[in-house]
Structure formats: structure tokens, C-alpha cells
């Protein structure tokens, strides 16, 4: 049984402090009000920064096992329920509504942050129109990735049989077939009879803008999460065995915000429908705890990516983003030990939102860095610890410069 405790904080007391690693507990507000802030408030929090009874404090950092991402101060005297990290499965085993509230709040936050990142990093709103499926097909057609193009064209025709580009989509499908490409059920997402889905090579699991009825757990292989923006493929993440994806569309009944593509090595996925998901919440607390941890990790990463948008210098942005991708592995950095990432420098520059016209220059400068190598279109750092130190140094210098600018502005000096 979960061993919960009740704690009290007086008005103006600090409950959480950003950057501190005190993440063994999260809190549920029983009474009172709390203000939550961040050192770098890149986007305004959806729903505001004032939390009240029934709201959660510190749950993202606690479940992700990372430093606190926010500071929480009591606006009034408050009573909190303290939930230990290792007691979370016991809590949800006997209180499924708590689990569902956390999961739905995480899902809403992820979609909100995803849309904010798209606006800031990609300089675009998230595409939701089904006509975008045709643009996705056109991109992969030009890249000669015909299986991905077929998927996009097929689902464009299925969703919009009277759409603007129906004739062209049909012509391109015929052209691909004339090149000897055989269209299979797996290629168009027809492998839905079993909850276990096996993909033998690079394949589309789903496209951005499609509706979604399932989330997925990777049992074997890797999956890329991408967007097509301004006729360019932007890599958002490379997911590995044990990771989950596709949950936002399932939980909120909204279009997919990105595409999921199995890498060339193939993969095995477990598909979970909404009906199965609600059943799992009440019967499999360990699995739901794992899902909550995955969501928390993703939200924590999104906040880190938002911080990355504040860095001006391209090489510094790329170092920071690379350090973030390494942090996701949860490996402790080792001095003089190399590490290879599952993406190349151009994909890294796109992750950072570096404008298209500056990508080549940024990549060239980045590849001149002493610890950076590029082999077979994949980035390798020769020293994991040096990567962490470099990223931390650039971030520290950024904060110092921001403080200097603020001080000069207060004194009426602007140079």
C-alpha cells in the first residue's frame, strides 16, 4: 500500500527550486494556492502559473528523474500530499483516476509544448490539414523513398477522395508501380490484425495530420519522429526499444502532430488501442507507471528544447542539443570515451531550428570542433565528458551575458 504523507508550507515558502535534484517526491495540492515559475519562461504555461487544489507539483521532474524544471512558491498557507517516487505504482493501483488525471495532463502539456516548439523552432504552426498528406508524399517521392511516398499518397486518397491533388497522387502511385515497386498491405498500414506489428525495413507507422486510434511501444528496433516543413524533413527524435509514441492523438482524439517512421533495420511494435489502454490503467499499474515516466521524460526534454531556442550562436545551439540527446540515454558521461548518435549534422541543425540558408555554414563550423566526427552520416563525439563540459560552459556564458545585458539596460546603457 502506498505510504503517503501530508506536509504543510507557510505562505511565501519555497516548495520546489529549479535546478535542485530533490525529485524523490511529487506533491498533490490539498488546499491553498501555489505559483510556479521558470528561470527562462520561453512560453507562457497553458492554464497559467497559479496552481490550486487537485493540481500536481514536481511530477515531471520526479517521474523523469531529472533536476527540478520549475520553482514553486506558496501564495497562501498550503497543505500538500507527498507521493514518493517508488510508491507511484501502488498509488495508481488503488486510485486509477489519479493516474488518468496525470496522464491526460501530461498529454495536454506535450501537445501544447509541441505546438510551441513548432512555432519557435520551425517558424510554423503544426500542420493539421489532411491536404498536407499530399505534400508528404511529394517530398518522399523526390527523395526516392517510394514506400513512404506510397503510404502518404494512399492515405491522402483515402481521407480526401475529392481532394485538390487526387489526380496527381494517383498518377504518382502508378509511376511508382511502373518502376517495379509492389504495393503490399504492410506498406500502406494494413497490418492491423494483431497488436504486435513487425516492419522489415524503412516503413511509415503513421503520418502527421492523420487521425490516431493507437499508441505504440517499441519492442525491437528504432523509430524516427519527423515533420515535413517547407519541403524539408525535420528530425524531432529517434526512439529506441522500450519507448512509447503516438499517445497524444490517442488520448486527445486529435490529428497526429508528427510522422513515425521505422528505420531501415526494421522494428517490432506493440499497438495499444484506447479500449486496451483504459483497461491497462486499472489492471497494470507498473506499465502505467512506466508510461507516466516516458511522458515525463518527453516533457522534460521539450522544456530543454525550448531553452535551446534562446541560444543564438548555431554551434553553441548544436552542442546544447547534442548534450540533450546524450542526457536522454541516461548514461553517465565518461572521459575520453566516444559515443555515436543515430543522426547526422544536418539533422542536428534542423532539430535546433537553424534556418535553411545557414545550415551548411553551421554544419561546417560544427564539424571543425575537435571532439566532433561524422562517419556514415552519423555524429560521433570522441569524449562524452567534454561534450557535457562544452554545453555547460556555453550555457553558463549565455546566462552571464544575459545578466550583463539586463544590468546595462537598467543603467541606461545599451551597448
Amino acid at each position: 500500500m502506498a505510504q503517503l504523507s501530508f506536509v504543510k508550507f507557510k505562505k511565501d515558502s519555497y516548495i520546489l527550486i529549479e535546478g535542485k535534484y530533490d525529485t524523490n517526491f511529487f506533491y498533490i495540492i490539498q488546499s491553498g494556492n501555489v505559483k510556479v515559475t521558470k528561470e527562462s519562461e520561453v512560453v507562457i504555461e497553458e492554464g497559467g502559473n497559479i496552481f490550486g487544489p487537485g493540481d500536481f507539483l514536481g511530477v515531471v521532474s520526479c517521474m523523469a528523474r531529472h533536476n527540478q524544471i520549475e520553482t514553486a512558491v506558496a501564495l497562501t498557507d498550503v497543505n500538500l500530499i507527498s507521493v514518493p517516487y517508488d510508491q507511484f505504482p501502488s498509488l495508481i493501483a488503488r486510485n486509477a483516476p489519479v493516474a488518468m488525471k496525470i496522464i491526460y495532463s501530461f498529454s495536454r502539456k506535450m501537445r501544447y509544448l509541441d505546438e510551441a516548439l513548432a512555432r519557435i523552432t520551425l517558424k510554423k504552426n503544426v500542420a493539421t490539414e489532411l491536404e498536407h498528406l499530399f505534400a508528404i508524399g511529394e517530398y518522399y517521392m523526390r527523395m526516392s523513398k517510394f514506400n513512404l511516398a506510397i503510404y502518404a499518397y494512399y492515405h491522402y486518397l483515402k481521407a480526401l477522395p475529392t481532394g485538390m491533388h487526387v489526380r496527381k497522387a494517383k498518377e504518382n502511385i502508378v509511376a511508382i508501380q511502373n518502376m517495379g515497386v509492389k504495393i503490399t498491405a504492410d506498406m500502406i498500414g494494413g497490418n492491423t490484425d494483431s497488436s504486435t506489428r513487425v516492419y522489415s525495413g524503412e516503413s511509415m507507422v503513421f503520418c502527421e495530420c492523420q487521425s490516431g486510434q493507437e499508441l505504440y511501444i517499441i519492442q525491437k528496433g528504432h523509430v524516427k519522429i519527423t515533420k515535413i516543413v517547407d519541403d524539408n524533413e525535420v528530425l524531432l527524435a529517434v526512439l529506441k526499444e522500450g519507448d512509447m509514441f503516438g499517445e497524444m492523438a490517442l488520448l486527445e482524439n486529435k490529428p497526429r502532430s508528427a510522422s513515425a517512421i521505422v528505420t531501415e533495420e526494421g522494428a517490432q511494435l506493440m499497438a495499444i488501442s484506447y479500449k486496451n489502454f483504459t483497461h491497462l490503467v486499472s489492471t497494470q499499474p507498473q506499465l502505467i507507471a512506466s508510461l507516466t515516466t516516458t511522458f515525463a521524460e518527453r516533457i522534460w526534454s521539450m522544456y530543454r528544447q525550448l531553452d535551446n531556442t534562446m541560444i543564438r550562436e548555431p554551434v553553441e545551439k548544436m552542442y546544447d542539443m547534442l548534450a540533450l540527446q546524450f542526457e536522454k540515454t541516461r548514461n553517465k558521461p565518461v572521459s575520453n570515451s566516444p559515443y555515436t548518435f543515430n543522426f547526422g549534422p544536418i539533422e542536428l541543425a534542423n532539430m535546433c531550428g537553424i534556418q535553411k540558408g545557414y545550415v551548411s555554414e553551421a554544419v561546417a563550423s560544427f564539424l571543425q570542433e575537435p571532439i566532433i566526427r561524422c562517419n556514415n552520416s552519423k555524429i560521433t563525439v570522441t569524449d562524452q565528458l567534454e561534450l557535457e563540459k562544452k554545453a555547460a560552459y556555453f550555457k553558463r556564458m549565455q546566462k552571464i551575458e544575459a545578466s550583463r545585458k539586463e544590468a546595462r539596460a537598467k543603467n541606461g546603457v545599451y551597448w
Side-chain angles (χ1 to χ4, degrees):
M1 182 176 293
Q3 300 297 314
L4 307 182
S5 59
F6 297 86
V7 293
K8 297 181 179 181
F9 287 87
K10 292 289 187 181
K11 180 183 177 182
D12 297 327
S13 298
Y14 282 84
I15 302 169
L16 304 173
I17 299 176
E18 184 175 352
K20 296 291 186 181
Y21 192 78
D22 53 350
T23 55
N24 291 324
F25 301 84
F26 70 86
Y27 300 102
I28 304 173
I29 302 176
Q30 189 179 34
S31 65
N33 292 303
V34 175
K35 183 175 182 179
V36 174
T37 60
K38 295 181 177 63
E39 184 176 333
S40 299
E41 198 83 52
V42 183
V43 295
I44 299 173
E45 287 293 321
E46 187 179 33
N49 289 0
I50 308 302
F51 289 36
D55 289 333
F56 302 93
L57 299 174
V59 66
V60 170
S61 297
C62 177
M63 298 307 296
R65 311 307 290 154
H66 285 297
N67 292 358
Q68 295 291 350
I69 59 173
E70 57 202 6
T71 295
V73 178
L75 290 179
T76 65
D77 291 351
V78 294
N79 294 313
L80 308 175
I81 302 171
S82 176
V83 182
Y85 170 79
D86 57 3
Q87 294 294 312
F88 182 68
S90 299
L91 172 67
I92 62 176
R94 61 189 181 91
N95 199 336
V98 171
M100 291 303 293
K101 182 172 182 178
I102 292 175
I103 288 170
Y104 274 105
S105 68
F106 276 9
S107 180
R108 289 192 298 272
K109 187 179 287 287
M110 283 190 293
R111 182 172 289 278
Y112 178 73
L113 294 176
D114 180 69
E115 291 172 354
L117 278 166
R119 290 194 304 270
I120 297 170
T121 306
L122 307 177
K123 307 298 186 290
K124 291 283 182 179
N125 289 321
V126 176
T128 57
E129 300 82 7
L130 287 168
E131 286 288 348
H132 189 57
L133 288 170
F134 178 77
I136 296 170
E138 290 288 273
Y139 173 82
Y140 289 118
M141 182 78 170
R142 287 192 293 274
M143 296 298 106
S144 299
K145 294 187 175 184
F146 300 124
N147 52 338
L148 302 183
I150 285 288
Y151 182 98
Y153 287 140
Y154 174 83
H155 286 279
Y156 170 74
L157 294 172
K158 184 178 178 180
L160 295 174
T162 58
M164 295 170 52
H165 306 287
V166 165
R167 180 178 176 181
K168 181 63 173 175
K170 290 179 178 178
E171 290 176 353
N172 286 350
I173 289 175
V174 172
I176 292 172
Q177 289 176 309
N178 289 339
M179 286 185 277
V181 177
K182 183 180 179 180
I183 300 177
T184 64
D186 288 349
M187 191 182 295
I188 57 176
N191 178 21
T192 58
D193 294 334
S194 170
S195 61
T196 300
R197 314 283 168 81
V198 178
Y199 299 84
S200 58
E202 188 175 41
S203 305
M204 187 79 76
V205 181
F206 55 72
C207 259
E208 54 184 304
C209 303
Q210 279 188 283
S211 60
Q213 291 79 39
E214 296 171 317
L215 66 83
Y216 301 86
I217 302 174
I218 303 174
Q219 296 178 315
K220 295 179 183 176
H222 294 84
V223 173
K224 298 190 300 182
I225 306 299
T226 68
K227 290 180 187 287
I228 302 299
V229 181
D230 291 336
D231 199 27
N232 189 42
E233 184 182 53
V234 178
L235 178 67
L236 302 178
V238 180
L239 306 181
K240 62 186 185 307
E241 185 176 320
D243 286 342
M244 304 180 192
F245 63 95
E247 69 290 327
M248 286 191 289
L250 174 71
L251 295 175
E252 298 187 54
N253 194 29
K254 291 183 179 181
R256 303 287 191 187
S257 61
S259 298
I261 303 172
V262 170
T263 58
E264 294 177 356
E265 296 80 9
Q268 179 175 306
L269 311 177
M270 177 188 290
I272 300 176
S273 66
Y274 182 80
K275 180 179 179 181
N276 290 337
F277 176 74
T278 54
H279 176 70
L280 288 172
V281 169
S282 59
T283 61
Q284 300 289 333
Q286 290 291 349
L287 180 60
I288 299 307
S290 176
L291 177 62
T292 306
T293 298
T294 298
F295 287 4
E297 176 74 29
R298 200 167 299 166
I299 291 169
W300 178 86
S301 296
M302 286 177 167
Y303 278 121
R304 282 279 283 105
Q305 286 177 266
L306 284 168
D307 287 342
N308 183 268
T309 65
M310 304 297 289
I311 301 173
R312 294 185 177 276
E313 292 297 325
V315 170
E316 295 179 15
K317 287 176 74 73
M318 294 171 78
Y319 261 114
D320 181 70
M321 185 62 71
L322 207 60
L324 167 58
Q325 302 309 312
F326 185 80
E327 285 178 62
K328 289 181 182 180
T329 69
R330 296 190 177 277
N331 294 323
K332 185 177 180 179
V334 178
S335 179
N336 297 318
S337 180
Y339 183 85
T340 299
F341 296 86
N342 284 316
F343 50 81
I346 293 177
E347 291 169 313
L348 177 63
N350 289 334
M351 282 185 200
C352 296
I354 296 173
Q355 294 182 20
K356 201 170 183 178
Y358 298 96
V359 167
S360 296
E361 181 182 349
V363 167
S365 297
F366 187 66
L367 291 177
Q368 292 177 10
E369 290 292 308
I371 65 168
I372 303 298
R373 303 286 185 273
C374 184
N375 301 308
N376 299 320
S377 299
K378 293 184 178 181
I379 295 172
T380 296
V381 293
T382 59
D383 190 325
Q384 299 170 12
L385 189 59
E386 188 62 23
L387 169 63
E388 182 183 62
K389 288 180 178 178
K390 277 264 192 181
Y393 170 76
F394 288 139
K395 186 168 290 186
R396 185 166 64 253
M397 294 306 296
Q398 178 195 3
K399 288 182 178 179
I400 291 172
E401 181 58 28
S403 297
R404 287 173 177 169
K405 285 183 179 179
E406 184 178 349
R408 288 196 295 267
K410 285 182 178 179
N411 293 324
V413 179
Y414 299 96
W415 60 84

